[in-house]
Amino acid sequence: MSEGHNAVVADPAWAAAAEAIVRAGRRMDQRGWVPATAGNISVRLADGRIALTRSGGHKGFLNADDVIEVDLQGRPQREGDRPSAETLLHCQIYGNFPAAGAVLHGHSVAATVLSMATKASALYLADYEVQKVFEGQTTHAARVTVPVFDNDQDIAHLSRSVALYLDDMKAGYIIRGHGVYVWGPTMDVALARLEGLEFLLACELERVKLGVPTRIAEERL
Amino acid sequence: MSEGHNAVVADPAWAAAAEAIVRAGRRMDQRGWVPATAGNISVRLADGRIALTRSGGHKGFLNADDVIEVDLQGRPQREGDRPSAETLLHCQIYGNFPAAGAVLHGHSVAATVLSMATKASALYLADYEVQKVFEGQTTHAARVTVPVFDNDQDIAHLSRSVALYLDDMKAGYIIRGHGVYVWGPTMDVALARLEGLEFLLACELERVKLGVPTRIAEERL
Amino acid sequence: MSEGHNAVVADPAWAAAAEAIVRAGRRMDQRGWVPATAGNISVRLADGRIALTRSGGHKGFLNADDVIEVDLQGRPQREGDRPSAETLLHCQIYGNFPAAGAVLHGHSVAATVLSMATKASALYLADYEVQKVFEGQTTHAARVTVPVFDNDQDIAHLSRSVALYLDDMKAGYIIRGHGVYVWGPTMDVALARLEGLEFLLACELERVKLGVPTRIAEERL
Amino acid sequence: MSEGHNAVVADPAWAAAAEAIVRAGRRMDQRGWVPATAGNISVRLADGRIALTRSGGHKGFLNADDVIEVDLQGRPQREGDRPSAETLLHCQIYGNFPAAGAVLHGHSVAATVLSMATKASALYLADYEVQKVFEGQTTHAARVTVPVFDNDQDIAHLSRSVALYLDDMKAGYIIRGHGVYVWGPTMDVALARLEGLEFLLACELERVKLGVPTRIAEERL
């Protein structure tokens, strides 16, 4: 069993991961994306360990002690540690994408409201320059589909729905009335994609208020 | 008569309560929830003393001197201290809930506008993940009723209206055109619930702008 | 001729006034009320001197050198100093209200948009708890009229229009497509009233978006 | 070949330019105008060198190393440096306006959404006091045309469209679904004009939501 987060001095890689998580939480809080105790944040270290926020607590005021270690099955590596209920969704991303190094989950007003404005299983983004921040995108003249899954307190069940579409998500996914999941090879890239997605959802919400219909994709893929 | 706030060095519990209030005020100000001299904040200490913001003054720029002691009837414990006009609403919560350790009252645009958009005596929240931050809530698939009381400059009269419904408030209550009251066992929990409620009211306000009708509960309970 | 702002060490009253102006500018900038080089800020000292922001420059990044002295007619007291074009509106308030100690002029999205949404010569505020921050107000159950004047690059002409209504302004006034003027006995009170007015204009703007008609007063008084 | 940014101690003019860019990025980020890796920022030094943000990276967290030197044709002056894809648009402004000392490009929700709300080739601003921040404007009683160009990943092609109208832009220009370009003789003036333009676009967006039609100019000039 790892002693990771108890040995910061002796474990600079863990300390760096914890620090990246603390800073990401502060940033997400400044943007209003982690209200109350919402959201969770993780990093995968080069050696495969996963550093993840503990269950509960405000993500804008984290310190290194609020970051715990889990394995790829989401099991805490130290007795008594309680990971977030949504740990499985983080681990699913790491399991599916060998290059994923950081996962962010936040709750914004725009993501919440837009996903509740339709029963559709996907939204799409198009014609925005900022789309280029997403995986493999080189032009605004494209359509990026963002799957929307119904919220479910049974995370194992939710993760099975997500699994079917995971390979084709350029910009992450949305859980209806709940929030977004975004990832990247590094925390900086994951944060840039989160900001890009939230910016575009904020634009879409304004456009719906101007009378433009919600842009619904026929299918998730 | 207590000397509480005059003897910070000798009274670490009081100093901690005052510090929690100062920090909560700063946070509420950053979110725009204590405009002008609006809002008030209190903490109940383990020994039963109640620390509360003085009448007037900006809640975003408090210092320990702005926090005074009142008893459970709202009487200031030092001559010359003038507690907020709404002290009684704080004391009512402490009197009713032995576990309540902190009470927050803020004024947001969303709470103000939504409560004025209807004459109904309650709103409800449903289908939001963030509902789980409220007392006893474990799923988004539930309905949380938030009572709305007409504003009244006679606080004793207002408190009698509140009294009738106090036992069934999961998420606090709203005074129409005025603001919200939220509480919790600790300041951290109270702040998390305040952020949760304000986030959800902000979502509801956006949804009303998208054409979703204000979600009115038939009755307060 | 005064040496006021050149002799800060020897003139603590001037230094305090300049510092109050610098801090007010920073606060207004945080709220987004002094975009570009908009807005201006003044303080009247106990000895009658008026400290006012220099013409141009960003009000969120002031330092003591950006504050100059003018007399009650708006004349700069040091050769070469160029006061704001709207100095006359500040001086008019000081001339009319012996108790006025600070004047704030800001430009917000809400004040700009609401005042352009009607040709009326006044808006009114009613049913809001926050109204109690204004001069002489003790209840939400009242109507506070806020005069709206057409913008005019001829400030002397504009000030003559304002003069006719100055005695009955509880909450300051609005210049259409331009911004608000608010004052108080001290900078703290002036800032509280500015925050109160801007909060209520933000509420009104949201209400208009919900379909509530702009609340227009039949007359300015 | 210049060693500019490698020799900060020996090159105070370069250090000052880099610092101005770093601070402008931080400011734009606080306002939400450089989401993800969006936006770019440049300064022309007195000796004609152009300091510009490197491609990629978040503009809210720049340091001096993120600023590189390009010539008036946009060619990096140090091997291996990769300037932003939109370097040509910066250089075009410097080439066309001998007095231009700073160029800012940001992405805001308002600029993005308003420019996508119409197919028109220009918007106009009128009746706003804040218009006076733009080149040569002395009154609100005027009409300032803001050209809108269709987005194009071929920047050379886009720059040729811009070239035709560059001499008549008082307030910069907008690329549809993308963002704004604004400039000025100094960074302070460029930032003030950016804030002015973004404030007015935010006002226009609110007005469209209130039912005022988007204010479309018949022609770009």
Side-chain angles (χ1 to χ4, degrees), chain C residues 85-141:
Chain C
E86 294 178 34
T87 301
L88 214 53
L89 299 176
H90 288 249
C91 291
Q92 177 178 42
I93 291 163
Y94 291 121
N96 199 73
F97 300 105
V103 178
L104 298 168
H105 168 50
H107 298 210
S108 70
V109 169
T112 301
V113 168
L114 269 180
S115 64
M116 292 173 89
T118 171
K119 291 184 188 307
S121 64
L123 304 174
Y124 72 88
L125 303 167
D127 309 320
Y128 294 111
E129 178 70 11
V130 170
Q131 290 168 220
K132 288 164 62 184
V133 79
F134 300 129
E135 184 72 39
Q137 303 302 300
T138 57
T139 175
H140 64 284

Side-chain angles (χ1 to χ4, degrees), chain C residues 26-43:
Chain C
R26 223 177 284 144
R27 175 81 179 168
M28 293 171 74
D29 180 47
Q30 283 162 2
R31 294 308 196 212
W33 300 335
V34 285
T37 57
N40 37 67
I41 307 169
S42 68
V43 161

Side-chain angles (χ1 to χ4, degrees), chain A residues 11-100:
Chain A
D11 191 349
W14 181 269
E19 174 59 19
I21 288 171
V22 168
R23 271 189 296 122
R26 220 178 286 143
R27 175 81 180 170
M28 292 172 74
D29 180 48
Q30 283 163 3
R31 294 307 196 213
W33 300 335
V34 285
T37 57
N40 38 66
I41 306 170
S42 69
V43 162
R44 176 159 60 184
L45 283 76
D47 61 15
R49 287 182 289 170
I50 296 172
L52 178 84
T53 45
R54 202 184 281 286
S55 179
H58 198 293
K59 303 312 177 291
F61 304 97
L62 296 170
N63 60 58
D65 278 346
D66 299 318
V67 179
I68 64 174
E69 185 185 341
V70 299
D71 66 12
L72 209 46
Q73 281 67 49
R75 290 174 300 220
Q77 297 300 291
R78 201 175 64 158
E79 228 174 307
D81 274 350
R82 191 166 148 248
S84 162
E86 294 178 34
T87 300
L88 215 53
L89 299 176
H90 288 249
C91 292
Q92 177 178 41
I93 291 163
Y94 291 121
N96 200 73
F97 300 104

Side-chain angles (χ1 to χ4, degrees), chain A residues 165-205:
Chain A
Y165 302 94
L166 202 50
D167 286 333
D168 285 282
M169 294 180 190
K170 308 295 185 239
Y173 63 85
I174 301 177
I175 309 175
R176 202 182 314 278
H178 180 157
V180 303
Y181 269 87
V182 171
W183 55 94
T186 63
M187 180 59 88
D188 279 356
V189 172
L191 273 171
R193 290 189 183 159
L194 178 64
E195 278 193 39
L197 180 57
E198 290 293 357
F199 176 83
L200 295 178
L201 294 175
C203 288
E204 287 290 297
L205 181 55

Side-chain angles (χ1 to χ4, degrees), chain C residues 28-38 58 61 85-86 107-109 112-114 116-117 151-153 176-179 205-206 208-209, chain D residues 27 30-31 126-130 132-133 138-141 188 191-200 202-204 206-207 209-210 212 215:
Chain C
M28 293 171 74
D29 180 47
Q30 283 162 2
R31 294 308 196 212
W33 300 335
V34 285
T37 57
H58 199 292
F61 303 98
E86 294 178 34
H107 298 210
S108 70
V109 169
T112 301
V113 168
L114 269 180
M116 292 173 89
N151 197 11
D152 195 329
Q153 297 303 321
R176 202 181 316 278
H178 181 156
L205 182 55
E206 290 301 293
V208 176
K209 285 190 247 172
Chain D
R27 175 81 179 170
Q30 283 163 2
R31 294 308 196 212
D127 309 320
Y128 293 111
E129 179 69 11
V130 169
K132 288 163 62 184
V133 79
T138 58
T139 176
H140 63 284
D188 278 355
L191 273 170
R193 290 188 183 159
L194 178 63
E195 278 193 40
L197 180 56
E198 290 293 357
F199 177 83
L200 295 178
C203 287
E204 288 290 298
E206 289 301 292
R207 297 183 77 201
K209 286 190 247 172
L210 296 191
V212 178
R215 299 206 281 187

Side-chain angles (χ1 to χ4, degrees), chain D residues 53-74:
Chain D
T53 45
R54 203 184 281 285
S55 179
H58 199 293
K59 304 311 178 293
F61 304 97
L62 297 170
N63 60 56
D65 279 345
D66 298 318
V67 179
I68 63 174
E69 186 186 339
V70 299
D71 66 13
L72 209 46
Q73 282 67 48

Side-chain angles (χ1 to χ4, degrees), chain D residues 4-84:
Chain D
H5 50 298
N6 282 328
V8 162
V9 174
D11 191 350
W14 181 269
E19 174 59 19
I21 288 171
V22 169
R23 271 190 297 122
R26 222 178 285 142
R27 175 81 179 170
M28 292 172 74
D29 180 47
Q30 283 163 2
R31 294 308 196 212
W33 300 335
V34 286
T37 57
N40 37 66
I41 307 170
S42 68
V43 162
R44 176 159 60 184
L45 283 77
D47 61 16
R49 285 182 289 169
I50 296 170
L52 178 83
T53 45
R54 203 184 281 285
S55 179
H58 199 293
K59 304 311 178 293
F61 304 97
L62 297 170
N63 60 56
D65 279 345
D66 298 318
V67 179
I68 63 174
E69 186 186 339
V70 299
D71 66 13
L72 209 46
Q73 282 67 48
R75 291 175 298 222
Q77 297 299 292
R78 201 175 64 158
E79 230 174 305
D81 274 351
R82 189 164 150 248
S84 160

